[in-house]
């Protein structure tokens, strides 16, 4: 029996029991290893397929980042970039379908229905950026699984850790960035029965609590046009504190409105929703009114979150990745270039929780003509529990060398991207031929 705080309305138990039956099997884990190293062109189309000025602005605002570098078309031309640019994290969530050779039939047949009905959540990720996202960039991508490891989880018993590499390229065939997504696969039933987080109580705030939160918000501001020179940065320097939250359903809606979370499963309405339900039936579970709805609603529906072992709904891991980027970008200023960021999501961020962000400089160095600074970042909630941490590498202006150059794309990645993009253009031309 689940812990008392995880119990749901009796009329839901039968529906949840059906949804909780899927298991993480040895057969599925073995089949998943067949996919390692197999890259294919992404056929997905996100909410935004082109990084228009509006899309760039809305992504930043959906993440709670009002930096004019991302949100103001008239501000960008005054900077070194000569234009508005996109929040780095956005590059992984703008997609136009890319043409390419299909996955080999024997691999596709062997992996059909893989991990059907198993719960998946993002537990972290890493980015390598090579150029900024600019207005008008049409983003394509190709991707494949890099690794899969089986482990024991305190939350859900046996689980699998799967890392997927997603290469984002623009319409010129240039690599914008490489996104490695760390996903945890767990059995919904097992995570519910363990009920590790069942004792966590919803947050409650006094006027004094809000005074603390609002004071941090009021002090936040991007460094903007004021250059942060590499020579002026010292190991041990701290970043300006930042706060995010308290988390509400409104914040989750704003994040979706900014462009997140529409593939691969899809949030759909009306007849399109019906067609999606027929396509991926295990992704849909009836709610307390007997209405089919997406399993993804655990990010706003606490009844469903309870069914898989959490006391209430919680955020997306990608939201916290965006927040770390916001923190680094505010500190670094307009002229810097964020080259790398890697984050680890350690605890859930529940509805009502507040995240307090801090960071410090851990190292600085010169590398291939770029003046780099390494940062260590962390988030702590109102319970004083660390929920996420991250590292980042930033290329800063130098008093002697001037503005930081962009990093070079690795040769092997350039070659692979060029081949994938050439094949895309070849297939595109074939479609146009009568």
């Amino acid at each position: 029996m689940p812990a008392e705080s995880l119990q749901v309305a009796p009329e839901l138990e039968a529906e949840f029991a059906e949804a909780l039956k899927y298991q993480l099997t040895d057969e599925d884990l073995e089949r998943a290893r067949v996919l390692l190293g197999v890259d294919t062109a992404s056929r997905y189309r996100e909410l935004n397929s082109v990084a228009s000025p509006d899309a760039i602005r809305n992504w930043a605002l959906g993440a709670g980042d009002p930096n004019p570098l991302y949100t103001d078309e008239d501000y960008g031309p005054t900077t070194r970039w000569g234009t508005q640019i996109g929040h780095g994290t956005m590059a992984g969530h703008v997609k136009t379908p890319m043409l390419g050779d299909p996955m080999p039939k024997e691999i596709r047949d062997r992996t059909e229905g893989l991990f059907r009905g198993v719960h998946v959540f993002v537990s972290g990720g890493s980015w390598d950026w090579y150029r900024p996202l600019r207005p008008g960039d049409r983003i394509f991508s190709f991707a494949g699984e890099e690794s899969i490891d089986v482990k024991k989880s305190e939350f859900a018993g046996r689980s699998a850790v799967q890392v997927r590499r997603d290469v984002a390229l623009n319409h010129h065939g240039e690599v914008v960035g490489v996104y490695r997504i760390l996903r945890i696969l767990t059995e919904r039933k097992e995570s519910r029965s363990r009920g590790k987080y069942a004792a966590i109580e919803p947050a409650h705030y006094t006027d004094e609590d809000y005074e603390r939160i609002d004071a941090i918000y009021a002090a936040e501001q991007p460094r903007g046009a004021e250059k942060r020179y590499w020579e002026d940065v010292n190991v041990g320097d701290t970043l300006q504190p930042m706060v995010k939250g308290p988390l509400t359903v409104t914040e989750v809606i704003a994040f979706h409105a900014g462009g997140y979370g529409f593939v691969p499963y899809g949030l759909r309405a009306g007849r399109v929703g019906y067609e999606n339900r027929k396509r991926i039936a295990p992704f849909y579970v009836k709610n307390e009114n007997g209405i089919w709805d997406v399993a993804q609603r655990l990010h706003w529906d606490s009844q469903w979150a309870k069914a898989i072992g959490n006391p209430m709904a919680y955020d997306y891991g990608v939201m916290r990745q965006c927040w770390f980027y916001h923190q680094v970008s505010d500190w670094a200023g307009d002229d810097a270039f964020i080259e790398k960021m890697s984050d680890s999501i350690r605890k859930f961020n529940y509805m009502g929780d507040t995240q307090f962000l801090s960071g410090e400089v851990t190292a600085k160095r010169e590398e291939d003509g770029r003046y780099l600074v390494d940062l260590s970042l962390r988030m702590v909630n109102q319970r004083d529990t660390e929920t996420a941490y991250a590292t980042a590498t930033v290329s800063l202006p130098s008093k002697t060398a001037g503005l930081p150059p962009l990093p070079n794309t690795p040769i092997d990645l350039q070659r692979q991207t060029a081949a994938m993009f050439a094949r895309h253009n070849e297939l595109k031309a074939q479609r146009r031929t009568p």
Side-chain angles (χ1 to χ4, degrees), residues 181-253:
I181 309 160
L182 192 154
R183 309 186 311 281
I184 305 295
L185 293 81
T186 67
E187 296 174 358
R188 295 168 178 167
K189 179 178 181 179
E190 184 69 14
S191 61
R192 185 188 187 196
S193 64
R194 286 179 176 258
K196 177 186 175 185
Y197 301 105
I200 293 178
E201 295 291 334
H204 179 77
Y205 293 87
T206 64
D207 290 343
E208 289 75 18
D209 293 328
Y210 254 105
E211 286 176 5
R212 177 194 176 195
I213 293 168
D214 288 352
I216 298 174
Y217 273 130
E220 291 177 10
Q221 60 180 350
R223 187 172 181 87
E226 183 183 356
K227 289 178 173 60
R228 186 177 292 282
Y229 287 108
W230 181 83
E231 289 85 353
D232 294 334
V233 174
N234 298 296
V235 173
D237 287 353
T238 58
L239 277 65
Q240 178 177 302
M242 183 172 280
V243 67
K244 293 289 185 178
L247 182 69
T248 62
V249 173
T250 301
E251 288 201 325
V252 174
I253 293 172

Side-chain angles (χ1 to χ4, degrees), residues 248-379:
T248 62
V249 173
T250 301
E251 288 201 325
V252 174
I253 293 172
F255 195 54
H256 276 295
Y260 176 74
F262 292 83
V263 298
Y265 304 117
L267 303 181
R268 302 288 186 260
R271 180 160 56 88
V272 183
Y274 154 77
E275 292 169 348
N276 202 46
R277 173 160 54 87
K278 295 303 181 183
R279 181 179 69 91
I280 46 173
F283 185 60
Y284 285 77
V285 183
K286 286 184 178 179
N287 64 17
E288 60 269 30
N289 298 316
I291 299 168
W292 291 109
D293 202 354
V294 294
Q296 192 172 343
R297 72 183 190 265
L298 53 81
H299 294 291
W300 56 86
D301 182 343
S302 289
Q303 283 291 308
W304 175 233
K306 288 178 182 180
I308 64 162
N310 271 297
M312 63 202 93
Y314 54 92
D315 72 343
Y316 291 102
V318 177
M319 292 178 75
R320 278 181 274 177
Q321 184 178 76
C322 293
W323 297 346
F324 276 132
Y325 190 93
H326 181 186
Q327 180 186 24
V328 175
S329 178
D330 267 15
W331 175 84
D334 295 344
D335 293 312
F337 184 74
I338 302 172
E339 293 193 4
K340 298 177 182 290
M341 192 174 75
S342 179
D343 64 274
S344 182
I345 309 300
R346 309 309 302 169
K347 301 289 184 182
F348 291 98
N349 178 29
Y350 293 113
M351 285 295 160
D353 282 1
T354 301
Q355 302 298 323
F356 298 91
L357 285 68
S358 61
E360 67 173 321
V361 177
T362 56
K364 56 183 293 191
R365 64 191 185 282
E366 186 272 333
E367 185 177 293
D368 297 329
R370 306 191 319 282
Y371 290 80
L372 305 177
V373 170
D374 295 325
L375 305 174
S376 175
L377 315 164
R378 68 193 299 253
M379 289 187 195

Side-chain angles (χ1 to χ4, degrees), residues 68-69 72-85 135:
L69 188 61
D72 188 343
E73 290 180 68
D74 296 327
Y75 179 84
T78 69
T79 71
R80 66 168 292 195
W81 309 109
T83 182
Q84 175 191 18
I85 62 173

Side-chain angles (χ1 to χ4, degrees), residues 18-87:
E18 179 67 19
L20 300 178
K21 73 179 182 181
Y22 298 101
Q23 296 182 333
L24 190 61
T25 66
D26 290 336
E27 179 188 0
D28 271 1
L29 292 167
E30 189 60 34
R31 289 196 297 149
R33 293 187 176 94
V34 175
L35 293 171
L36 298 181
V38 180
D39 286 322
T40 57
S42 172
R43 303 299 178 90
Y44 294 126
R45 184 184 296 278
E46 275 282 11
L47 177 65
N48 296 303
S49 54
V50 176
S52 69
D54 286 342
I56 290 173
R57 181 187 71 249
N58 288 331
W59 179 269
L61 293 178
D65 186 345
N67 191 330
L69 188 61
Y70 313 127
T71 62
D72 188 343
E73 290 180 68
D74 296 327
Y75 179 84
T78 69
T79 71
R80 66 168 292 195
W81 309 109
T83 182
Q84 175 191 18
I85 62 173
H87 208 267

